[in-house]
C-alpha cells in the first residue's frame, strides 16, 4: 500500500497538471510542478530570516506565463488523512488538541508569509473523495471587489461550499469549495487582474 508521502507527491503531480490545463484553457499541462524537496529548502531559509522565491508550498510555476498565479497564492496539498474533516472545526471542544485543518491552515498561512505573497490555497483530497480547496476570507473578498469574481455565488448554485471560522487563519474565516467547482468559477483572467492590482499596491 502506498505510503502517505508517495500519495502526497502523486497528488502534487496531478494538481500540477490540472492547474496547468486550467490556466492554459486545456492547451498545456506543464506550466507548474511540485517544489523540490516539498519546500524544505524554503523552510530552512525562512528559519534564517531569508525568503526563497518560488520555493514555498508544494507547487511552483515552471513557465513564466503562470507566474501571476503563484505571485498571489502559495499552494499546499494534502492527500489522505481520513480523520481530517471540516466538521472538526465546528465541534471541537476548547480543550481538544489542534485539528488537522488548523495545522494545515497555519502551515499554509506561514508559507504565504515566507513567500511574501498575499494568499494561500490549501487542497485536501481524502481517498475516494472529491478534492476540497480552502481559501482565506480575504482572498475571496479581494477576488470579488478587485477582479469581479464572486465565489460566494457558488453557495446559491447547489454547490457544496462552507465559510468557517478558523483561529489558525489569523483569527479569521476560511472558505471551502469543491476544487473543480472553484476552478470552473475562477478564471485566469480574474487572477491576472488581481495580481496586477496587488503589484501596484
Amino acid at each position: 500500500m502506498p505510503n502517505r508521502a508517495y500519495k502526497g507527491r502523486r497528488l502534487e503531480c496531478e494538481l500540477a497538471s490540472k492547474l496547468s490545463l486550467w490556466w492554459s484553457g486545456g492547451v498545456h499541462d506543464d506550466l507548474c510542478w511540485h517544489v523540490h524537496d516539498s519546500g524544505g529548502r524554503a523552510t530552512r531559509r525562512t528559519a534564517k530570516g531569508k525568503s526563497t522565491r518560488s520555493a514555498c508550498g508544494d507547487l511552483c510555476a515552471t513557465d513564466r506565463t503562470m507566474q501571476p498565479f503563484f505571485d498571489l497564492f502559495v499552494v499546499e496539498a494534502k492527500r489522505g488523512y481520513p480523520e481530517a474533516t471540516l466538521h472538526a472545526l465546528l465541534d471541537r471542544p476548547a480543550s481538544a488538541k489542534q485539528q488537522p485543518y488548523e495545522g494545515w491552515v497555519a502551515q499554509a498561512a506561514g508559507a504565504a508569509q515566507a513567500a511574501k505573497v498575499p494568499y494561500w490555497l490549501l487542497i485536501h483530497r481524502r481517498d475516494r473523495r472529491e478534492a476540497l480547496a480552502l481559501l482565506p476570507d480575504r482572498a475571496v473578498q479581494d477576488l470579488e471587489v478587485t477582479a469581479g469574481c464572486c465565489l460566494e455565488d457558488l453557495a446559491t448554485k447547489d454547490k457544496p461550499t462552507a465559510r468557517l471560522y478558523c483561529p489558525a487563519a489569523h483569527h479569521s474565516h476560511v472558505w471551502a469549495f469543491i476544487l473543480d467547482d472553484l476552478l470552473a468559477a475562477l478564471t485566469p483572467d480574474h487572477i491576472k487582474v488581481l495580481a496586477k492590482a496587488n503589484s501596484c499596491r
Side-chain angles (χ1 to χ4, degrees), residues 64-102:
R64 62 181 178 83
T65 60
M66 199 173 175
Q67 190 58 47
F69 178 82
F70 291 97
D71 287 340
L72 290 180
F73 292 95
V74 158
V75 178
E76 292 282 350
K78 304 295 180 182
R79 172 69 188 276
Y81 301 93
E83 74 287 356
T85 68
L86 294 174
H87 195 275
L89 294 178
L90 296 174
D91 65 359
R92 70 182 291 272
S95 59
K97 66 179 182 180
Q98 186 183 65
Q99 302 299 301
Y101 269 108
E102 292 175 303

Side-chain angles (χ1 to χ4, degrees), residues 28-65:
H28 301 290
D29 66 354
D30 59 349
L31 304 182
C32 64
W33 194 237
H34 62 76
V35 172
H36 173 67
D37 76 358
S38 297
R41 176 171 177 254
T43 300
R44 292 189 295 273
R45 287 174 57 85
T46 298
K48 298 178 181 179
K50 300 178 180 180
S51 63
T52 309
R53 182 174 172 81
S54 300
C56 295
D58 290 323
L59 299 178
C60 65
T62 54
D63 188 286
R64 62 181 178 83
T65 60

Side-chain angles (χ1 to χ4, degrees), residues 12-196:
E12 292 169 14
C13 295
E14 293 173 5
L15 289 175
S17 178
K18 178 186 281 288
L19 291 175
S20 295
L21 289 167
W22 163 72
W23 187 264
S24 65
V27 177
H28 301 290
D29 66 354
D30 59 349
L31 304 182
C32 64
W33 194 237
H34 62 76
V35 172
H36 173 67
D37 76 358
S38 297
R41 176 171 177 254
T43 300
R44 292 189 295 273
R45 287 174 57 85
T46 298
K48 298 178 181 179
K50 300 178 180 180
S51 63
T52 309
R53 182 174 172 81
S54 300
C56 295
D58 290 323
L59 299 178
C60 65
T62 54
D63 188 286
R64 62 181 178 83
T65 60
M66 199 173 175
Q67 190 58 47
F69 178 82
F70 291 97
D71 287 340
L72 290 180
F73 292 95
V74 158
V75 178
E76 292 282 350
K78 304 295 180 182
R79 172 69 188 276
Y81 301 93
E83 74 287 356
T85 68
L86 294 174
H87 195 275
L89 294 178
L90 296 174
D91 65 359
R92 70 182 291 272
S95 59
K97 66 179 182 180
Q98 186 183 65
Q99 302 299 301
Y101 269 108
E102 292 175 303
W104 297 341
V105 166
Q107 177 186 357
Q113 185 176 26
K116 297 183 179 180
V117 300
Y119 319 113
W120 48 265
L121 172 62
L122 170 63
I123 300 172
H124 174 218
R125 190 175 76 202
R126 294 192 292 165
D127 294 340
R128 296 179 292 279
R129 300 281 181 164
E130 296 285 345
L132 290 181
L134 276 71
L135 299 169
D137 201 39
R138 179 185 165 206
V140 174
Q141 294 175 4
D142 288 352
L143 281 165
E144 178 178 2
V145 173
T146 304
C149 176
C150 189
L151 295 176
E152 296 179 37
D153 285 348
L154 288 177
T156 66
K157 296 179 179 178
D158 297 323
K159 300 293 186 182
T161 62
R163 182 176 183 263
L164 302 169
Y165 175 73
C166 183
H170 299 298
H171 294 279
S172 183
H173 291 77
V174 298
W175 279 87
F177 307 90
I178 298 297
L179 176 61
D180 286 345
D181 292 342
L182 174 65
L183 296 182
L186 181 63
T187 70
D189 284 341
H190 291 134
I191 297 295
K192 292 172 185 176
V193 169
L194 186 55
K196 183 176 181 180

